[in-house]
Amino acid sequence: MADIKQTKPEKDYSVYFQRTFVAPNLKEARRRRRQAVRHLNDFSIPDDIKGIGAGKKYLIRTYGCQMNEHDSEVMAGILEEIGYTSTDVEEEADIILLNTCAIRENAENKVFGELGNLKQLKRENPDLILGVCGCMAQEEAVVNRILQKYQHVDLIFGTHNIHRLPQLLKEAMFSKEMVMEVWSKEGDVIENLPKARKGNVRAWVNIMYGCDKFCTYCIVPYTRGKERSRHPHEIIQEVRELARKGYKEITLLGQNVNAYGKDLNDGSYRLSHLMDEIRKIDIPRVRFTTSHPWDFTDDLIEVLAKGGNLVEHIHLPVQSGNNAILKIMGRNYTRESYLELFYKLKKAIPHAAITTDIIVGFPNETEEQFQDTLSLVEECQFDGAYTFIYSPRPGTPAARMEDNVSMEVKRDRLQRLNELVNELAYKSNARLEGEIVEVLVEGASKKNEDVLMGHTRTNKVVHFRGPKSLIGQLVNVRVTKAKTWTLDGEIVAEQEAANQ
Ligand code: 5AD
Ligand code: SF4
């Protein structure tokens, strides 16, 4: 191990940096939209790599969003194809991959902390391959920090290089130097990657990759590249296959699913068309995330209102309730137009649960501007909200803005917002007390093995007692008690549910 450590920093990575990390800017972003996307079907494991994982174990630790969760399933699929089996025990692993998130500084700090913790393990087991991938790997500053301070890392690869894992892994096994491959190019769409999905009840299905919205605070358009949609027939085939295998719920995934299809052919086949086709597939529940209010069209609302397997839950990030802040964020809508869309959705889908994301403490946000956020939350009575303190992301336009709001004030705003969000979440749950809801049973509750857990169509978590044989099934549950984040309930007989 000692000599491995010494050889690593000697490699000259400077040429590599010049080639790899081209910080995109808005002008380039507009240009990149016109660049052609390649849809490929050519993933295969080279002969000399087949079986190199036989008898070995992998562990993937995932940080961040559902997109990362699903990328980890792809990496697991690739590793299993070359012979690895999975483990949850670090000491047993021959390869540990950290699939990282760059959305906020504390997400990155968690990963650096974990890298520090793994140093001892690497010392004890020099053959262990330690890899860093995901969004942090796309950031030059992060890679530099790893090169300088975390030389026990063997492998770094970016979000556009997942399909190259077999080759990179082999290189890492036989090289004494850190292996690094991070493409700054915007990425292809590769269709035939294997997937080792977690569980057999709910599944993720990517419909598009990347984001071209360039909200001024957000790192995603830089780490995930330009918007690129999968062809509808590929998505539909995947959903059909999942239905055939007995999955009960799918979630269509994209950073900004409402932009689906803009980059395909003449751009006329959009999310509404895709959902209208998926609606006809025999799978009980279809979700989608995440929506940007910008591209939420009337025909999409019309399709969602048809119901059936399209569930009544819409995650619609608002970020702020103040027009000046929304403008500096580059969100391209106003408080008024958000509310207009919100009410349209409520009218078209009366029982829809609407959840949101909110950032407090954006640079120079005043108390009055924050009050606008509180009043919007109050008006919308959201069923739930993910709330965040603004975190400057190096390279983004907002990170260059001066900021006169202290961390103390930001923390105070977050706390006040959370109090309101929790109160509303409880209120929306309390309205369900005594009602019968359909629950997809996912497994045992984390806290109590004897209690089952599942989600309603509106994405609320329900706990209730019942036999484990119900896992994977849709059952009717009467809500007996509402809590802030979850509901308690009891199973009702089929007849009773039918009479309701
Ligand atoms: N700081 C804080 N929150 C952020 N988000 C995105 N970028 C940042 C940032 N720099 C939040 C947004 C987004 C969610 C996924 O993360 O609310 O919707
Ligand atoms: Fe980030 Fe979402 Fe804005 Fe894209 S739409 S830049 S992913 S916040």
Side-chain angles (χ1 to χ4, degrees):
M1 176 63 203
D3 67 276
I4 293 176
K5 269 176 79 177
Q6 274 162 17
T7 57
K8 280 179 181 166
E10 279 164 22
K11 185 166 175 182
D12 179 9
Y13 287 101
S14 59
V15 181
Y16 168 85
F17 276 124
Q18 282 160 23
R19 272 192 294 119
T20 304
F21 297 99
V22 192
N25 57 35
L26 284 170
K27 238 194 224 155
E28 266 180 40
R30 288 205 180 97
R31 232 176 288 143
R32 82 182 195 180
R33 279 190 199 137
R34 290 196 295 271
Q35 280 162 20
V37 174
R38 291 187 308 168
H39 292 249
L40 304 173
N41 242 309
D42 60 354
F43 174 81
S44 66
I45 311 268
D47 284 343
D48 59 327
I49 299 179
K50 279 181 188 152
I52 60 169
K56 295 190 169 146
K57 298 204 161 152
Y58 73 89
L59 188 157
I60 304 176
R61 197 148 283 158
T62 311
Y63 302 81
C65 65
Q66 296 100 327
M67 197 67 85
N68 264 14
E69 293 282 345
H70 190 42
D71 281 351
S72 289
E73 293 182 334
V74 172
M75 290 185 237
I78 294 176
L79 290 172
E80 291 186 13
E81 278 216 352
I82 55 180
Y84 285 86
T85 53
S86 80
T87 179
D88 293 333
V89 185
E90 279 176 359
E91 287 74 18
E92 279 183 3
D94 298 281
I95 174 168
I96 297 180
L97 294 179
L98 304 186
N99 189 8
T100 63
C101 169
I103 199 104
R104 283 170 291 275
E105 195 184 353
N106 55 8
E108 296 199 346
N109 288 342
K110 264 192 225 158
V111 172
F112 284 122
E114 183 67 13
L115 281 178
N117 293 340
L118 288 168
K119 205 170 198 165
Q120 181 60 24
L121 190 67
K122 177 77 192 176
R123 209 169 278 147
E124 287 161 12
N125 175 11
D127 290 335
L128 168 71
I129 291 184
L130 179 56
V132 176
C133 53
C135 287
M136 281 170 72
Q138 294 291 140
E139 293 181 285
E140 182 173 354
V142 167
V143 172
N144 265 326
R145 189 165 160 192
I146 294 176
L147 284 172
Q148 280 160 15
K149 297 212 176 115
Y150 300 88
Q151 288 156 15
H152 56 297
V153 170
D154 303 280
L155 171 64
I156 302 177
F157 60 99
T159 57
H160 307 305
N161 307 75
I162 293 175
H163 63 291
R164 295 260 309 141
L165 180 55
Q167 289 85 348
L168 297 172
L169 183 55
K170 184 177 173 204
E171 214 181 313
M173 275 179 172
F174 297 107
S175 163
K176 283 198 162 190
E177 286 173 342
M178 194 185 287
V179 173
M180 186 162 36
E181 187 174 282
V182 183
W183 290 344
S184 70
K185 64 178 220 139
E186 306 301 354
D188 302 319
V189 173
I190 302 173
E191 282 299 343
N192 62 334
L193 293 170
K195 295 167 193 118
R197 296 185 190 271
K198 267 197 184 150
N200 50 11
V201 181
R202 304 196 302 166
W204 311 113
V205 176
N206 268 126
I207 64 166
M208 62 180 300
Y209 306 92
C211 179
D212 282 343
K213 290 288 178 274
F214 284 85
C215 301
T216 55
Y217 52 81
C218 188
I219 194 78
V220 169
Y222 308 94
T223 60
R224 289 278 171 178
K226 78 176 216 136
E227 286 174 356
R228 24 201 221 285
S229 304
R230 290 179 69 196
H231 284 305
H233 64 270
E234 299 279 4
I235 299 167
I236 287 164
Q237 192 181 318
E238 186 174 345
V239 176
R240 287 218 174 100
E241 171 111 16
L242 289 165
R244 220 178 6 251
K245 286 184 174 157
Y247 281 86
K248 297 292 190 307
E249 178 178 304
I250 54 150
T251 303
L252 306 177
L253 281 184
Q255 303 295 345
N256 173 23
V257 287
N258 303 61
Y260 175 77
K262 277 186 171 179
D263 57 314
L264 288 177
N265 305 321
D266 64 353
S268 62
Y269 187 98
R270 303 296 303 278
L271 184 64
S272 55
H273 305 98
L274 181 69
M275 299 283 281
D276 211 17
E277 284 197 62
I278 291 180
R279 197 172 64 79
K280 293 168 197 148
I281 299 177
D282 188 15
I283 194 155
R285 289 182 175 185
V286 178
R287 302 184 183 280
F288 65 109
T289 197
T290 288
S291 278
H292 192 303
W294 190 335
D295 292 312
F296 217 117
T297 53
D298 284 351
D299 56 332
L300 177 60
I301 300 176
E302 233 172 78
V303 172
L304 295 178
K306 293 181 186 175
N309 60 4
L310 308 182
V311 297
E312 302 77 31
H313 172 224
I314 295 147
H315 186 64
L316 193 64
V318 65
Q319 314 299 359
S320 165
N322 176 268
N323 282 339
I325 295 284
L326 286 170
K327 188 148 194 216
I328 319 172
M329 284 178 164
R331 291 290 290 177
N332 206 34
Y333 55 82
T334 59
R335 174 190 179 97
E336 292 72 27
S337 62
Y338 182 91
L339 285 171
E340 195 185 319
L341 173 61
F342 179 90
Y343 287 120
K344 245 193 230 173
L345 283 165
K346 280 279 180 191
K347 190 165 171 223
I349 316 161
H351 300 296
I354 300 186
T355 54
T356 198
D357 291 345
I358 298 165
I359 297 175
V360 300
F362 193 73
N364 309 311
E365 182 192 56
T366 64
E367 174 60 26
E368 289 71 40
Q369 290 172 328
F370 171 64
Q371 288 291 336
D372 284 345
T373 296
L374 288 181
S375 70
L376 180 121
V377 171
E378 181 83 52
E379 175 160 357
C380 293
Q381 302 264 310
F382 289 112
D383 290 83
Y386 295 103
T387 56
F388 312 101
I389 291 181
Y390 165 71
S391 169
R393 305 285 63 222
T396 59
R400 289 191 286 274
M401 295 174 196
E402 285 209 18
D403 186 2
N404 63 12
V405 190
S406 71
M407 190 42 88
E408 201 187 342
V409 168
K410 293 182 195 226
R411 285 210 191 95
D412 177 62
R413 286 184 191 159
L414 183 70
Q415 199 189 327
R416 282 148 68 202
L417 175 62
N418 283 345
E419 275 165 23
L420 177 60
V421 164
N422 294 354
E423 186 191 313
L424 295 175
Y426 175 74
K427 248 167 107 179
S428 103
N429 281 347
R431 279 194 290 271
L432 290 172
E433 275 184 2
E435 299 271 317
I436 293 175
V437 290
E438 180 202 86
V439 177
L440 174 58
V441 191
E442 286 151 44
S445 141
K446 273 193 200 129
K447 283 192 197 143
N448 185 347
E449 261 296 307
D450 298 332
V451 172
L452 294 174
M453 186 280 294
H455 284 84
T456 63
R457 285 172 64 92
T458 51
N459 213 31
K460 293 179 188 289
V461 174
V462 187
H463 291 122
F464 58 98
R465 285 185 185 268
K468 291 239 165 47
S469 57
L470 292 179
I471 294 171
Q473 292 190 34
L474 293 156
V475 296
N476 288 310
V477 174
R478 183 193 312 284
V479 176
T480 50
K481 187 171 169 24
K483 299 176 177 170
T484 304
W485 300 118
T486 60
L487 300 164
D488 285 346
E490 59 194 18
I491 294 187
V492 293
E494 250 171 62
Q495 192 52 44
E496 196 183 343
N499 293 341
Q500 272 260 319

